[in-house]
Amino acid sequence: MVTRLGQESFDATATITRIRGFDGECPSQSNNFCCVDATEDLSEFRGLVNINKTQYCFIAQINSDDQHRARFIPANELLEDPSGKPRKMQPIIQEMILGRKRGVMLIPECEDDAVDVIAGLIEQGFQDLASEYRDFIIGQLEKAKA
């Protein structure tokens, strides 16, 4: 799907390589095939792809009528480290993205890891979840101090 959408967005001769999730791995069952949301009506996929030797973050959606759309954003505009190397806390970030409708909030072991989670959520297009998570972490710190 990402290859097809990339060719539609750029051109039919675009060279599309290295499709992977934000975990750095090729789409597979272990990273939910880069799916970050799925309902009966719409599925959304996010990750990284190289198009014509430039790395992009992709956001691809397909609805129940098999209609699709995608955005390709140059990775250097979004990622702190545009090398494509996954964030240290990417497994927690992915679990929170997939569990956001159930209110999944995971607490990392240290403050730097919490900052990494927030930055990763923002980079991957989940600003509202990053804000909720920041408020949650601040609340946990205040409880611990009390």
Side-chain angles (χ1 to χ4, degrees):
M1 177 176 74
V2 174
T3 300
R4 179 177 162 194
L5 294 171
Q7 289 173 334
E8 288 176 7
S9 296
F10 290 85
D11 70 54
T13 62
T15 304
I16 298 169
T17 59
R18 296 200 65 216
I19 300 168
R20 60 208 179 282
F22 284 103
D23 60 358
E25 301 296 322
C26 292
S28 67
Q29 200 166 13
S30 68
N31 63 11
N32 296 302
F33 300 96
C34 301
C35 184
V36 296
D37 198 10
T39 65
E40 284 186 24
D41 300 323
L42 183 72
S43 294
E44 183 172 312
F45 305 84
R46 295 183 187 212
L48 301 168
V49 62
N50 289 5
I51 301 175
N52 297 330
K53 299 183 180 176
T54 300
Q55 182 170 252
Y56 291 87
C57 295
F58 68 83
I59 301 171
Q61 297 176 327
I62 187 165
N63 68 19
S64 58
D65 294 327
D66 216 19
Q67 297 170 319
H68 52 268
R69 64 181 177 188
R71 286 182 51 213
F72 295 90
I73 306 156
N76 62 357
E77 292 179 16
L78 289 181
L79 302 180
E80 177 182 333
D81 176 10
S83 68
K85 178 180 167 229
R87 286 190 164 275
K88 174 184 172 194
M89 304 301 333
Q90 187 59 38
I92 287 178
I93 294 165
Q94 189 73 15
E95 199 168 329
M96 286 181 53
I97 289 170
L98 293 171
R100 70 188 179 281
K101 291 186 176 144
R102 296 182 318 240
V104 172
M105 293 283 172
L106 303 171
I107 302 173
E109 294 182 20
C110 69
E111 187 177 327
D112 287 344
D113 290 348
V115 169
D116 189 64
V117 170
I118 292 167
L121 290 168
I122 291 168
E123 286 176 355
Q124 295 170 39
F126 293 93
Q127 289 83 359
D128 292 346
L129 184 57
S131 180
E132 287 175 36
Y133 184 66
R134 183 197 67 230
D135 294 345
F136 172 77
I137 293 295
I138 290 170
Q140 294 298 313
L141 290 171
E142 288 173 352
K143 281 183 189 176
K145 288 179 184 176

